[in-house]
Amino acid sequence: MKRLAPVLLLVAAALAWPSTAAAKTCELSITGNDQMKYNKSELVVGADCDKVKLTLEHVGKMSVEQMGHNWVLAKSSEYKSLAQAGMKAGMKNEYIPQGDDRVIAHTGLVGGGETSSVTFDVSGLEAGGDYTFFCSFPGHYGIMNGKFVIKG
């Protein structure tokens, strides 16, 4: 038993030692254009991702006032009402209702040739959950939307 005691102490110390595993950030990209379309209808990340960095690029030429785009993430059951609330929030708020808990993440509003990124925590989202991304610029959400999937 005396020989086993040091081994047990080492095992106990290893179990109590804080994890040094770094948080995993997964990167995604998507484009929007002057035809009011994203280039992807689904974005997928693994359940091993703690954070996601999403980059939106507007590959068109029209200005932000004419054909602005953003990328907003919400639960699928809430995205339409959230998009409508965004229209009421106006351009000064980038068509995002300020302080609205339904917004999981969003980029800034961009016009032709511009890019915006957002990094957000996905550890609280459910693998297999029902999430939708969309553009909240007025009238865009009906066409510019897709599924955000966390694969378990």
Side-chain angles (χ1 to χ4, degrees):
M1 185 70 175
K2 287 185 181 182
R3 288 186 173 180
L4 194 55
V7 172
L8 290 174
L9 284 175
L10 285 173
V11 170
L15 291 173
W17 196 262
S19 173
T20 57
K24 181 176 179 182
T25 300
C26 298
E27 296 193 22
L28 298 171
S29 62
I30 192 167
T31 65
N33 62 28
D34 288 342
Q35 287 71 45
M36 219 166 61
K37 292 183 181 175
Y38 286 131
N39 69 326
K40 297 177 183 170
S41 60
E42 183 177 81
L43 295 169
V44 180
V45 297
D48 61 334
C49 299
D50 298 302
K51 294 181 183 248
V52 168
K53 179 181 180 185
L54 181 286
T55 300
L56 167 67
E57 180 183 8
H58 191 316
V59 296
K61 295 183 179 183
M62 295 176 81
S63 72
V64 69
E65 295 83 10
Q66 296 172 305
M67 186 60 68
H69 299 312
N70 59 13
W71 183 92
V72 184
L73 181 63
K75 290 180 179 177
S76 294
S77 62
E78 299 174 338
Y79 95 92
K80 289 180 182 177
S81 62
L82 181 58
Q84 292 165 357
M87 286 190 281
K88 291 177 186 170
M91 186 152 184
K92 70 177 186 221
N93 292 310
E94 299 187 312
Y95 302 107
I96 302 291
Q98 302 302 295
D100 194 316
D101 291 339
R102 296 175 294 176
V103 176
I104 296 170
H106 69 88
T107 65
L109 194 62
V110 294
E114 297 177 329
T115 300
S116 181
S117 294
V118 62
T119 301
F120 57 99
D121 188 344
V122 292
S123 62
L125 302 183
E126 295 177 37
D130 194 8
Y131 304 101
T132 295
F133 63 85
F134 64 97
C135 176
S136 67
F137 192 90
H140 290 197
Y141 74 93
I143 298 169
M144 293 184 77
N145 65 70
K147 290 295 178 186
F148 185 81
V149 178
I150 301 172
K151 290 225 173 179

